[in-house]
Amino acid sequence: MNATSFRLTRTPLFIALATVAAGFTPVASAQQAGETAQKQIEEVNVTGTRIKRADIEGVGPVTVLDEASIEASGSSSLEVLLQSLPSAAGFGGNQTNAYWTSNGYGTAQINLRGLGTNRTLVMVNGRRVVNGGTGANSSVDLSMIPMSLVSSIEVLKDGASATYGADAVAGVVNLITKKEFDGLEIEGKYGQTALGDGEETVLDLTWGVSGDRGNLMVNMSYQDNQASPLDARVPCPLNDDSECSGSSSTIGGRATLPAGAVLADGTVLTENTRINFNQDPNGDGDFYERYDGLKHGFNYNPYFNAVQPIERFSFTTLGNYEISESATLFTELMYTNRQSGQPASPGSLADIAYSADHPTNPTGSDFVLERRRLLENGARDFYQEVDTWRVVTGIEGDINDNWGYDVALNWGRNTATDGIANNINMQRVGETLDTSLCGMNGIPCGDYLGYGDVTQEVLDYIVFSQEGTGGNEQKSVSANINGSLMELPAGTLGFAAGVEWREDSGWRQPDSLVQAGYALGNQEDPISGSTESREVYAEVLVPLLADMPLVQSLDMDLAVRYSDYDLFEGEDTYKAGLNWQVNDMLKVRGTMTTAFRVPNIPELFGGVSEGNLTTTDPCSDYASLDPSSTLYQNCQAAGVPLNYSQLGTTILTDRGGNPDLTPESAETFTLGVVLQPLDGLSLTVDYFDIEIDDAIREVSGSTKLAMCYESAGLSHAFCAPDQHTRNPVNGDVNYLSTQKFNTGNEMMQGIDFGALYDFDMFGLSHTANFKASYLKEYETTAFDGDEPFVLDGYIGSGNGGFPHWRTNASLTTRGNQWSSTYSVRMIGEGDDFNVDSGIGSKMPNVFYHNVQFNYDMNDALRMSVGIDNLFDQEAPRVASWTDGNTDTMTYDLAGMRSYLRVTYRFD
């Protein structure tokens, strides 16, 4: 299968026709209907509260991106836009770091505060969205929602479980779609990098019609992003001396011979010694010599991409129809097809035992072939195809002048296929080495010791295409009421309440060879499970004081929710917020909330899987340390040889779910000030404090090993044999587990800053916007009494980036027919998680400059040009890198990119 092929004649066209047919008739009637009365002051829903308000400011800290700011960003993908916010940290998921993305390669996600993608609740128009990815997933795949459909985005940076239920621990991202659209708009965008690759093509079509009693909008979007090769930007992996190095999975094959063995040149070994077999395709197939990383290491960068290709097609129809003066029918129908792919280096055989008398063994000694990269087989190709459907329908309206209601049915489902082309069947590899089997019954005999020795006959026998399937489904029914209970001296007593039933299910069926453990490198168990919840909530907005000295208004917002889950005990969550408008210039706001998150499907029901993850072994080269140091003594006590040096940057690691997990709980406190000293100028400062108990985490392998070997006498729980073990001969970590568990707790503190200034100068209008987030503290504790692991101020090691500072600043200038935006994003300096000296141990402040210019040729035609990463800022060296000698979870690898966008509208 070709991961970038697109079959437009398939399901999408059928769904498009069906949804148009289903949604068109009501609007035709709506155009003939009479007018209805409108309220003089429109009340709106604000993210963070269920009570409608006449103003758009709630109690919690909310970042609002309107349609103009979204357009000025130049972004074609939601994940790129959202991950650039200062409030995003850690590791989300996009096409730069697709190899490391949870929920399946190529999945796009948002990670608020860096607390985890599964602790950020993503909604569309205030309602939940089914999780996405390649099956049994834990967060929303943002690629299912086209940018052209979104009119604004509200990001609540506060716990909101009392308002929205589970998962809203770090905050809420509410994507608000365009509501009314008249006419037809066609938009096209084309861009590429300064190197002439990474071509991006986007085509959007939006059509809408409105009547007196309803409206209908249809949106079709197609996006095709081509690859940006890694080696064009980073030719090779670099070692500590900035020399080109490579993977210790060599094309000839690496092993360790015991003392007393004899090299091919007759040298008798006096100690255990790593060797490497012939790597010259024209050389002696039986030759072997001492292993030398600089000589034998494999440069895999030519096989990888800096940015992965992705192709997306979506079809959406949104409509509403006024059945009566008190009831309006609304419908949201969405479909998205995503196809993505990631090339990978040739697969590597691992840990194959050879006896001294095996006919292909030239050493005369028993040994284990530790790694052998099958370059003869060529590159592998990872691919995914995901189809996502979402249907929301219901009725909303007014009971009377004071009360409104809504009832909604929400259904979402995605199905996925993902696979690896050119993978290896390890059972058949074993058969080709078994002298009692090979050479008969169609089983060829294989020689894997030395590059070029693997014949095409053997490759035809052992190579296969791996393919698995999976999906997610969400069903929910909700009913809400909101209105005013009574008039108090300080204002109206607002009230909202509701009930919701929801079922989330997920499944994943790996390839049969993967399940059996015969596929190369990634044994997986099937996943299948579901959770069901019944919830009830109530919220009240109490006006306490008004029109008094130093108190223009003082409101209290109180909310409580009870959630009953089929697999866990019931959970109570609450919110208490205070909104104090001192005068027209000054406002003080604060919230105290509790939140919780139940273990999701992969966390509860996920089987164990294996993968090579970026991991730093603290015992590597420990002989250079002070012999009295804790690390030196622990590594020696663990039996690690003095001459041990970690080969490569990855370790085969077990990951998976845990059926004994329990829900995690959180407490959040925010306190903020909004200052408006001048017309058009607004300043905000918001302090946040988050504490999570019984946190569900997957502690990285690097972190586990570091905490173990820094503990007194190897006393840490991470030193246990169910956490990791070592090869007794060469000291390599040969087993490492990072399965999820309920940790002790997590603590985070920080401050968000914002400034927005609208002003006129030189006959032009301008908007200056500044956002910043300061991460003061972020620590996790594995269990009660353990030393905390500090994340704030650190970057890399598979954790993503947690610099103390992240900022965004922009200046937009508007003339009669044109506008321009210049923006700067800064990722603050940080230290490597595992290395405290040398190259890549400290990362500087990194600035990305973007510029865009828009010109309205006439009322119908608009042209835009832009350049992202204007000065071609390179990603800094990170010692504990993921790919490209940097942290792809934090920095940009594509380099400078330019684009042209044309929009034409027919009224």
Side-chain angles (χ1 to χ4, degrees), residues 367-415:
F367 69 86
V368 173
L369 182 62
E370 296 163 1
R371 293 289 187 275
R372 163 65 156 96
R373 191 177 298 274
L374 284 180
L375 182 60
E376 296 94 332
N377 186 41
R380 293 169 294 166
D381 181 27
F382 292 75
Y383 60 87
Q384 307 84 37
E385 181 171 8
V386 183
D387 292 304
T388 304
W389 297 263
R390 182 174 186 262
V391 178
V392 178
T393 188
I395 298 176
E396 60 184 359
D398 295 326
I399 300 173
N400 53 39
D401 290 341
N402 293 324
W403 288 90
Y405 71 93
D406 69 84
V407 179
L409 170 67
N410 185 346
W411 173 82
R413 179 183 174 92
N414 72 58
T415 57

Side-chain angles (χ1 to χ4, degrees), residues 247-257 263-264 273-280 286-293 295-298 363 369 371-373 449-451:
S247 168
S248 59
S249 293
T250 68
I251 63 173
R254 170 175 57 83
T256 300
L257 292 183
L263 292 179
T273 303
R274 282 197 170 100
I275 64 165
N276 201 80
F277 292 93
N278 171 59
Q279 298 201 161
D280 183 354
D286 291 335
F287 176 76
Y288 57 98
E289 60 185 338
R290 294 178 189 269
Y291 171 78
D292 182 338
K295 179 180 180 180
H296 301 122
F298 180 76
T363 69
L369 182 62
R371 293 289 187 275
R372 163 65 156 96
R373 191 177 298 274
L449 304 180
Y451 173 59

Side-chain angles (χ1 to χ4, degrees), residues 614-887:
T614 298
T615 308
T616 299
D617 188 344
C619 289
S620 181
D621 301 316
Y622 79 94
S624 61
L625 302 176
D626 182 353
S628 64
S629 67
T630 300
L631 181 58
Y632 184 102
Q633 294 180 2
N634 281 340
C635 292
Q636 191 173 50
V640 181
L642 275 174
N643 63 350
Y644 171 72
S645 181
Q646 181 183 0
L647 300 179
T649 60
T650 63
I651 292 177
L652 190 64
T653 305
D654 279 4
R655 311 173 72 183
N658 182 350
D660 297 325
L661 291 174
T662 59
E664 57 185 22
S665 60
E667 295 182 356
T668 302
F669 171 71
T670 68
L671 181 62
V673 175
V674 180
L675 185 65
Q676 295 175 306
L678 302 172
D679 287 342
L681 176 61
S682 177
L683 307 173
T684 62
V685 179
D686 288 286
Y687 166 80
F688 60 89
D689 186 313
I690 305 170
E691 182 171 357
I692 303 174
D693 292 320
D694 297 321
I696 301 170
R697 282 188 63 86
E698 178 183 284
V699 180
S700 73
S702 295
T703 301
K704 281 194 166 185
L705 293 175
M707 296 181 77
C708 166
Y709 288 95
E710 290 289 353
S711 65
L714 298 172
S715 58
H716 199 284
F718 291 159
C719 299
D722 64 342
Q723 299 295 315
H724 83 277
T725 59
R726 290 184 177 274
N727 184 317
V729 176
N730 57 33
D732 285 340
V733 176
N734 54 14
Y735 170 76
L736 180 60
S737 173
T738 61
Q739 286 182 262
K740 296 175 176 64
F741 63 102
N742 288 97
T743 67
N745 68 1
E746 299 184 24
M747 298 180 62
M748 175 179 285
Q749 294 180 5
I751 303 174
D752 291 329
F753 302 88
L756 181 66
Y757 187 32
D758 289 312
F759 62 98
D760 294 329
M761 184 179 292
F762 308 121
L764 302 171
S765 63
H766 310 269
T767 299
N769 198 343
F770 174 79
K771 300 182 185 72
S773 185
Y774 171 68
L775 181 60
K776 179 179 181 294
E777 176 187 17
Y778 183 23
E779 297 180 349
T780 66
T781 304
F783 51 86
D784 290 340
D786 190 30
E787 288 293 322
F789 176 65
V790 178
L791 288 93
D792 57 274
Y794 291 92
I795 297 171
S797 192
N799 297 301
F802 296 90
H804 286 296
W805 283 99
R806 289 177 183 259
T807 65
N808 278 358
S810 67
L811 176 64
T812 299
T813 299
R814 289 171 290 272
N816 290 331
Q817 291 182 267
W818 62 272
S819 66
S820 64
T821 299
Y822 192 96
S823 62
V824 181
R825 178 166 68 104
M826 185 200 77
I827 300 172
E829 64 183 9
D831 297 332
D832 188 88
F833 271 99
N834 303 302
V835 178
D836 56 13
S837 63
I839 298 175
S841 61
K842 295 183 182 297
M843 282 60 74
N845 295 325
V846 174
F847 296 87
Y848 296 107
H849 298 254
N850 306 321
V851 62
Q852 184 187 88
F853 180 81
N854 306 301
Y855 186 76
D856 294 328
M857 308 294 291
N858 51 49
D859 291 341
L861 178 62
R862 162 172 280 207
M863 300 189 68
S864 305
V865 294
I867 301 176
D868 295 336
N869 196 354
L870 179 63
F871 300 112
D872 202 20
Q873 172 66 56
E874 294 184 356
R877 282 279 298 275
V878 178
S880 300
W881 46 269
T882 50
D883 282 313
N885 304 316
T886 191
D887 183 46

